[in-house]
Amino acid sequence: MDGAGGAGRMKLHTDMTVNRITDEVWEIPVSAKEGMQVPARIYATETILAGMDSGVFEQVTNVACLPGIQRYALCMPDGHWGYGFPIGGVAAFDSQEGVISPGGVGYDINCGMRLIRTDLTLSDVQPCIQALMTELFRKVPAGVGSKGFVRLDRREFEQVMRKGARWCVEHGYGWNGDLERIEERGCIPGADPSKVSDHAVERGISQLGTLGSGNHYLEVQVAANDRIFDPKTAAALGITGHDQIVVMVHCGSRGFGHQVASDYLKVFEKAMRRYGIVVKDQQLACAPFRSPEGQDYFAAMNCAANSAFANRQVITHQIREAFRTVFGRSAEELGMEIVYDVAHNIAKVERYAEGELVVHRKGSTRAFGPGRPELPDRYRETGQPVICGGSMETGSYLLVGTEQAMRETFGSTMHGSGRTMSRAQAKRSVRGEQLKQQMEKRGIVVKAVSMSGLAEEAGFAYKNISDVVETVDRAGITKKVAELRPIGNIKG
Amino acid sequence: MSGEFRFLEDVALADAAFEASGDSPSELFKAAAQAVIETMVNPHTVSPTWQRVIEHQAPEIATLLFDWLSDIVYLKDAHGVVFREATAVVSEDRPHGGWKLRGTLTGEPIDPARHELRADVKAVTKHLYDVRHDEGREGGRWTARVVLDV
């Protein structure tokens, strides 16, 4: 069923009413489910909406029922089923009357993307791409339970939790100029290590500088002239085209963040009974943001978020070292500056017309428009760089935030392409070795710890990222700047 | 029929889900642990050089199983090991009410050169989490459905 001006005869994986607001924005009214406080809005083309699994509709409307939610429960075009909140979800709660939910952040706290530019071109790198990927694979540990080279005791790890990427720069794993090119300058205030369990510390203390597995990766990519959509903005972001080489990293807070999330889901299950909160899914466990439990989680989550910024910073250091080894020139000489680093699994306190809000982004990216004071001077005019990773076979995108995103989506947009096929089905469709050979024939060198893990991440298991990017571009909540094509990929 | 597990394909698009079962809680716990182990590594490539005994009590069997499986994920990162197999003895905790577990995990420190590594499990989740006892002849069958975040 759908309402007037709705999804018409489109076949959707839901019986709920879905009304068309524009060609890229769809709304599920509060009448669709008992308890909805606000409507749900999904950013998608007709085709993407029709392909969305039933979990998206169920979960985004469950989120719309949570106490203190403001304006809309949102889902981006890369949305798919997640735990409690859908992946691609955005929800903002009043900081006084609303809740905070670990399910709205995800297990991998501050999973995010980082893009590093270089002055190298494809012709510089192509002759030694095998050597470069081998050196990167050696320097950036990946896969199940991998350990990094940074040795920390608990006291020092607590400094990582408090200082994030700043700790890395202070210890020689980065440049002073790196920090302004990271969301929150790589250090979110309010991190309190006393709110973190021993189990979380034990899981994370030896993992700084590691990629992990699943859909995490390190990729060497090319920015070709014909894939730059906005040359002026691209240049301001350090992307000059002419087959320029860039490096993209996708990873998060590793076992440390996973344990913080697991610990607080348990705490919140009990807290909900105390505060009389009833949710439609156990994974939506939440507590009032101003409650002791809510504040404890926020302080622990910020520890994990800062450790994720530090993780990507140590990986950046290792990437620069690998390039120095292979090309015999310093990273400074190679122009290896960070373009930007964005979190796509996080809850943050931000100010909007409604006042101070706790904005949850789970598989969605902050996309602040031009002029926001949070942005560094260099990006104040362009808007915030947004980095969206595609599947390892296709490509990734660099975009910028817009003022429209500030008005419509709490300054948020998509984060990647979004899975459409189960891991098991992907493995049945292709063997890891076979996929590796196919990719190498197409000019993408692959280094993988797990061949089954590689098969699970095949390009056909994901939505076409270009369709997803076109949607947010046409909707106006981010503007595409450049497409980046992979030539080398490291997977856990 | 003894303990067994099978991976469920249509439950978690981006993650790993399984159903484990056994004629007793002990068999269920062993089978479920093996499913978590095999999500992370091919256990035939792992030698039993490391061992850990785990004991837990919980008021409900579902909580006990959740804690047991979560320990496997924790030990993988905290001790840097992958596992070969698990044993579990689960019984009613008569003095306190509820259930208790004495389990063992064997494995060895991770060596990517020898171990056929699979997915790095982040967490055991409560999504669609279910433990049930189907009454029947000879004590019935214990079954659990578990979704792992990978």
Side-chain angles (χ1 to χ4, degrees), chain A residues 249-266:
Chain A
V249 177
H250 177 214
C251 64
S253 49
R254 308 281 290 111
F256 179 56
H258 310 159
Q259 192 63 41
V260 168
S262 296
D263 290 342
Y264 277 92
L265 276 166
K266 270 189 181 175

Side-chain angles (χ1 to χ4, degrees), chain A residues 76-152:
Chain A
M76 295 296 131
D78 48 343
H80 62 84
W81 170 94
Y83 303 114
F85 281 59
I87 308 296
V90 181
F93 300 88
D94 183 272
S95 70
Q96 297 302 318
E97 306 296 328
V99 295
I100 186 166
S101 170
V105 172
Y107 283 98
D108 196 0
I109 295 166
N110 190 3
C111 184
M113 308 292 306
R114 178 175 285 213
L115 184 66
I116 302 157
R117 69 174 302 284
T118 77
D119 287 335
L120 294 165
T121 65
L122 184 59
S123 59
D124 298 321
V125 172
Q126 195 79 72
C128 46
I129 184 70
Q130 286 285 358
L132 177 63
M133 297 314 294
T134 301
E135 187 63 13
L136 286 166
F137 194 54
R138 199 174 69 76
K139 282 206 156 68
V140 183
V144 178
S146 49
K147 291 186 188 320
F149 75 93
V150 182
R151 298 280 169 263
L152 301 170

Side-chain angles (χ1 to χ4, degrees), chain A residues 53 59 80-84 106-108 111 142-147 198-200 202-204 206-207 212-216 254-256 258-259 262 266 269 281-283 419-425 428 449-453 456 492, chain B residues 7-17 38-41 52 56 63 66-67 70-71 73-82 110-113 115-130 147-150:
Chain A
D53 58 88
Q59 292 186 325
H80 62 84
W81 170 94
Y83 303 114
Y107 283 98
D108 196 0
C111 184
V144 178
S146 49
K147 291 186 188 320
D198 289 344
H199 264 35
E202 289 160 19
R203 281 184 73 179
S206 61
Q207 294 187 330
S213 76
N215 61 354
H216 293 158
R254 308 281 290 111
F256 179 56
H258 310 159
Q259 192 63 41
S262 296
K266 270 189 181 175
E269 273 177 32
D281 179 344
Q282 247 185 316
Q283 292 279 148
R419 231 186 145 84
T420 57
M421 183 187 283
S422 74
R423 291 181 178 278
Q425 200 181 337
R428 268 201 312 277
V449 173
S450 163
M451 279 299 145
S452 63
E456 290 174 4
Chain B
F7 288 105
L8 306 171
E9 292 189 15
D10 299 324
V11 171
L13 195 66
D15 294 296
E38 295 196 19
T39 303
M40 299 193 282
V41 68
R52 180 82 167 210
H56 278 303
T63 308
F66 192 86
D67 290 345
S70 297
D71 270 355
V73 177
Y74 156 73
L75 288 166
K76 173 258 301 173
D77 283 333
H79 289 249
V81 290
V82 279
I110 296 170
D111 178 359
H115 298 144
E116 189 187 315
L117 299 172
R118 293 173 178 164
D120 198 358
V121 177
K122 294 173 188 167
V124 182
T125 79
K126 290 276 175 79
H127 181 75
L128 300 174
Y129 182 66
D130 182 41
V147 178
L148 303 172
D149 189 348
V150 297

Side-chain angles (χ1 to χ4, degrees), chain A residues 308-373:
Chain A
F309 285 133
N311 191 32
R312 294 195 287 274
Q313 186 63 40
V314 171
I315 288 173
T316 300
H317 171 77
Q318 293 295 83
I319 291 168
R320 285 169 171 162
E321 286 295 296
F323 272 73
R324 184 180 61 79
T325 303
V326 173
F327 295 99
R329 290 159 65 197
S330 71
E332 288 89 342
E333 286 173 318
L334 295 170
M336 295 185 72
E337 287 158 341
I338 296 168
V339 174
Y340 207 59
D341 178 306
V342 289
H344 57 221
N345 276 7
I346 203 157
K348 292 168 76 173
V349 175
E350 295 167 0
R351 286 205 78 82
Y352 293 91
E354 290 87 347
E356 189 183 72
L357 305 181
V358 185
V359 182
H360 293 59
R361 298 189 180 94
K362 181 184 182 182
S364 61
T365 314
R366 195 185 76 171
F368 280 180
R372 278 288 289 216

Side-chain angles (χ1 to χ4, degrees), chain A residues 389-461:
Chain A
S391 80
M392 61 186 182
E393 290 189 81
T394 53
S396 298
Y397 280 82
L398 180 62
L399 305 94
V400 282
T402 64
E403 284 172 12
Q404 196 174 333
M406 307 311 297
R407 293 193 299 273
E408 286 187 19
T409 58
F410 304 106
S412 310
T413 189
M414 60 176 285
H415 83 305
S417 44
R419 231 186 145 84
T420 57
M421 183 187 283
S422 74
R423 291 181 178 278
Q425 200 181 337
K427 276 190 286 194
R428 268 201 312 277
S429 307
V430 70
R431 284 184 304 105
E433 280 293 353
Q434 189 188 355
L435 179 63
K436 186 171 189 283
Q437 284 169 15
Q438 287 171 3
M439 288 174 68
E440 298 204 338
K441 269 188 196 158
R442 293 206 307 275
I444 307 170
V445 176
V446 181
K447 302 280 177 193
V449 173
S450 163
M451 279 299 145
S452 63
L454 183 70
E456 290 174 4
E457 295 300 318
F460 54 70

Side-chain angles (χ1 to χ4, degrees), chain A residues 140-204:
Chain A
V140 183
V144 178
S146 49
K147 291 186 188 320
F149 75 93
V150 182
R151 298 280 169 263
L152 301 170
D153 59 20
R154 178 160 185 150
R155 223 173 109 189
E156 203 63 29
F157 191 41
E158 288 184 358
Q159 291 302 310
V160 173
M161 295 180 212
R162 288 185 197 280
K163 294 182 175 179
R166 187 152 58 86
W167 180 91
C168 303
V169 172
E170 287 171 3
H171 287 75
Y173 306 127
W175 308 340
N176 281 326
D178 287 346
L179 297 180
E180 66 168 4
R181 297 157 191 260
I182 303 172
E183 186 170 329
E184 299 287 341
R185 295 179 62 83
C187 175
I188 300 176
D192 181 353
S194 74
K195 304 302 180 189
V196 165
S197 73
D198 289 344
H199 264 35
V201 171
E202 289 160 19
R203 281 184 73 179

